[in-house]
């Protein structure tokens, strides 16, 4: 096009127009329209080509990717069906069906499901909250539901997470590499990019709001039904610990959270043993002192011995009371409030898996401390427990 409009060509056009003025008026309009059309079409094609090339060269990185603020209804029906089938198979310990819906699934996870599912009666009120992932056909899904345990009237509100992909056959499936089980025990290698996206997803304010809603409902349910509390904190936890010991999973590479939990249990057992030994030693020491006193006073009258004995009992009682006063015991449970936006982790370490964020002024049930961390009730944590930096919490009433 550029070569066509050279100087010689333009001079020829001018001469032709001068010699044929009466014909040029109408023809000029037509030529002008044709030239404009050529330029517009050529420019449009160049623009499309440029946009296409730019699109093929511009691919959003994991670092730059941002989830849409609102949850999406994309593939809502298919996701709802997939999750309903998954929970039904989970409760029924239908491992064949589970293996088709959620893959891969290790033998250890199958055995874990076999242990846990025996206490499940049903999973109800399944409500997915979905956001589109970086790649087309991938979804990050939070699932609010209620677990009905056998023999327990009150249902336990729960919030689960699934990373869902579209298979080559066009059907959705749960990428089970990113299940809570594998993210805890790391039997299958986790992709760093996807884990970074999961961290972004759980760090969003929308996820924090959803979790806060479920957490409040969970606390209320556990506080209102002693049977539910026993099921979650004693029966189910005991069964999982027994499974953990017998399954051989302890020999695998585990997350820091589980390692720390095991160390905490061991430390508690050691502390209990030391406390017992100390009490036995103190008791034996007391018996020796009493015996020496008895020997020394053997020649005294019976009344004097009685007086000495009573005095000794009074002294022992005062000493015991003094010891108790010097070593106050923390209550088994107490309430804490977040002082700011805080990160919740699955272990007492900044390297432990991040479970989510909680906003300021969220009230939680606490169960003591481990180092610089406070153990709190958290539905998305291992066995309903999680860790928050103690400095970020305020004990209610203090």
């Amino acid at each position: 096009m550029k070569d066509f409009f050279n100087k010689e060509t333009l001079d020829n056009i001018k001469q032709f127009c001068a010699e044929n003025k009466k014909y040029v008026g109408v023809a000029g309009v037509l030529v002008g329209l044709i030239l404009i059309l050529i330029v517009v079409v050529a420019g449009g094609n160049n623009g499309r080509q440029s946009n296409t090339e730019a699109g093929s060269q511009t691919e959003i990185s994991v670092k730059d990717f941002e989830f849409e603020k609102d949850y999406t209804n994309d593939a809502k029906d298919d996701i709802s069906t997939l999750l309903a089938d998954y929970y039904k198979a989970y409760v029924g310990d239908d491992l064949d069906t589970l293996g088709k819906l959620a893959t891969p699934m290790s033998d250890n996870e199958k055995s874990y499901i076999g242990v846990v599912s025996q206490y499940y009666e049903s999973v109800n009120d399944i409500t997915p909250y979905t956001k589109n992932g970086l790649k087309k056909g991938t979804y990050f899904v939070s699932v609010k539901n209620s677990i009905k345990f056998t023999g327990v009237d009150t249902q336990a509100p729960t919030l689960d997470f699934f990373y869902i992909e579209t298979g080559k056959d066009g059907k959705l499936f749960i990428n089970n590499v990113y299940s809570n089980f594998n993210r805890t025990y790391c039997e299958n290698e986790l992709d760093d990019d996807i884990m970074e996206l999961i961290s972004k997803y759980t760090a969003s304010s929308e996820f924090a709001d959803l979790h806060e809603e479920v957490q409040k409902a969970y606390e209320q349910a556990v506080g209102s039904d002693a049977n539910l509390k026993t099921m979650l904190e004693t029966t189910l936890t005991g069964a999982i610990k027994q499974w953990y010991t017998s399954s051989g999973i302890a020999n695998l590479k585990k997350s820091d959270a589980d390692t720390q939990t095991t160390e905490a249990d061991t430390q508690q057992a050691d502390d209990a043993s030391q406390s017992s030994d100390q009490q036995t030693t103190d008791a034996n020491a007391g018996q020796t002192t009493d015996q020496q006193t008895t020997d020394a006073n053997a020649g005294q009258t019976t009344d004097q011995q009685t007086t000495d004995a009573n005095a000794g009992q009074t002294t022992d009682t005062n000493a015991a009371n003094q010891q108790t006063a010097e070593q106050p015991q923390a209550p088994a449970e107490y309430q804490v409030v977040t002082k700011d936006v805080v990160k919740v982790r699955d272990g007492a370490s900044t390297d432990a898996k991040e479970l989510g964020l909680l906003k300021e002024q969220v009230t939680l049930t606490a169960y003591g401390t481990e180092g610089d961390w406070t153990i709190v009730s958290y539905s998305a944590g291992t066995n309903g427990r999680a860790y928050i930096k103690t400095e970020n919490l305020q004990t209610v009433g203090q």
Side-chain angles (χ1 to χ4, degrees):
M1 181 68 69
K2 181 179 178 181
D3 293 338
F4 177 78
F5 289 106
N6 55 37
K7 186 176 185 302
E8 183 180 355
T9 302
L10 291 174
D11 290 340
N12 291 334
I13 292 175
K14 289 179 182 179
Q15 183 178 355
F16 174 82
C17 291
E19 295 175 352
N20 300 277
K21 290 181 179 180
K22 65 178 181 179
Y23 303 110
V24 169
V26 176
V29 174
L30 294 176
V31 171
L33 291 174
I34 293 172
L35 290 175
I36 292 172
L37 181 62
I38 291 173
V39 172
V40 170
V41 171
N45 288 336
N46 289 337
R48 283 194 294 271
Q49 183 178 359
S50 176
N51 290 336
T52 302
E53 290 174 353
S56 62
Q57 293 173 358
T58 304
E59 184 175 337
I60 300 176
S61 66
V62 171
K63 182 179 179 180
D64 295 331
F65 177 78
E66 295 294 338
F67 286 96
E68 294 182 359
K69 188 170 182 63
D70 297 328
Y71 292 105
T72 180
N73 288 323
D74 291 353
K76 180 178 180 180
D77 293 339
D78 291 338
I79 290 174
S80 296
T81 299
L82 173 65
L83 294 172
D85 292 343
Y86 173 86
Y87 283 116
K88 180 179 179 181
Y90 196 105
V91 172
D93 193 22
D94 184 355
L95 300 179
D96 290 337
T97 299
L98 277 176
K100 297 175 182 176
L101 300 173
T103 184
M105 184 173 289
S106 69
D107 290 338
N108 281 318
E109 184 171 4
K110 290 178 181 178
S111 69
Y112 173 88
I113 293 172
V115 170
V116 174
S117 64
Q118 64 182 315
Y119 300 100
Y120 284 33
E121 184 176 305
S122 61
V123 177
N124 308 306
D125 306 321
I126 302 169
T127 307
Y129 295 82
T130 304
K131 290 196 175 185
N132 291 313
L134 175 59
K135 295 182 179 180
K136 184 178 180 180
T138 62
Y139 306 95
F140 291 72
V141 185
S142 295
V143 185
K144 188 168 68 173
N145 60 75
S146 298
I147 302 175
K148 175 69 170 67
F149 291 101
T150 303
V152 180
D153 293 333
T154 305
Q155 299 186 57
T158 306
L159 187 65
D160 292 329
F161 169 79
F162 296 94
Y163 178 60
I164 295 178
E165 295 184 354
T166 304
K168 294 180 179 180
D169 58 358
K171 295 182 180 180
L172 298 180
F173 71 95
I174 297 169
N175 187 332
N176 211 46
V177 170
Y178 304 97
S179 67
N180 185 59
F181 183 92
N182 191 62
R183 284 186 291 138
T184 300
Y185 297 108
C186 299
E187 289 189 278
N188 294 296
E189 185 177 357
L190 300 166
D191 182 84
D192 291 339
D193 286 345
I194 295 179
M195 289 301 296
E196 183 175 345
L197 289 172
I198 291 175
S199 294
K200 282 190 174 186
Y201 175 81
T202 56
S204 68
S205 60
E206 301 81 53
F207 179 86
D209 290 341
L210 185 59
H211 185 272
E212 182 181 353
E213 176 188 342
V214 174
Q215 183 67 27
K216 287 182 178 179
Y218 176 87
E219 296 274 359
Q220 183 178 1
V222 173
S224 67
D225 192 331
N227 290 332
L228 177 60
K229 183 180 178 67
T230 299
M231 171 61 72
L232 291 170
E233 299 180 3
T234 303
T235 306
L236 193 59
T237 300
I240 292 173
K241 286 183 177 179
Q242 185 176 359
W243 163 84
Y244 179 85
T245 302
S246 61
S247 67
I249 190 91
N251 296 324
L252 297 175
K253 177 184 177 182
K254 304 184 299 300
S255 67
D256 292 339
D258 295 299
T259 301
Q260 292 159 355
T261 301
T262 303
E263 291 173 352
D265 292 339
T266 302
Q267 184 62 45
Q268 289 173 359
D270 290 343
D271 291 344
S273 177
Q274 291 174 2
S275 176
S276 177
D277 291 343
Q278 185 62 43
Q279 291 171 356
T280 303
T281 302
D282 292 343
N284 291 336
Q287 290 174 359
T288 302
T289 302
D290 292 341
Q291 184 62 44
Q292 291 172 347
T293 302
T294 303
D295 292 342
N297 296 331
Q300 297 179 356
T301 63
T302 302
D303 291 340
Q304 183 63 41
Q305 290 174 348
T306 301
T307 301
D308 291 341
N310 290 338
Q313 289 176 359
T314 302
T315 302
D316 291 343
T317 301
N318 290 337
N321 290 337
Q322 180 65 28
Q323 184 178 10
T324 301
E326 292 174 353
Q327 297 178 356
Q329 299 297 317
E333 294 182 12
Y334 55 100
Q335 299 296 305
V336 294
V337 177
T338 56
K339 296 193 293 186
D340 201 344
V341 177
V342 298
K343 291 183 178 181
V344 185
R345 297 188 180 276
D346 205 25
S349 169
T350 53
D351 295 328
K353 180 178 67 179
E354 185 178 326
L355 299 175
L357 294 175
L358 289 178
K359 296 188 296 185
E360 184 180 0
Q361 292 299 306
V362 175
T363 302
L364 301 163
T365 298
Y367 301 95
T369 59
E370 185 177 322
D372 297 331
W373 299 77
T374 295
I375 305 168
V376 298
S377 175
Y378 194 78
S379 61
T382 303
N383 301 332
R385 297 286 189 274
Y387 296 78
I388 297 176
K389 272 278 192 178
T390 303
E391 64 187 21
N392 297 323
L393 299 172
Q394 174 69 47
T395 301
V396 175
Q398 290 188 356

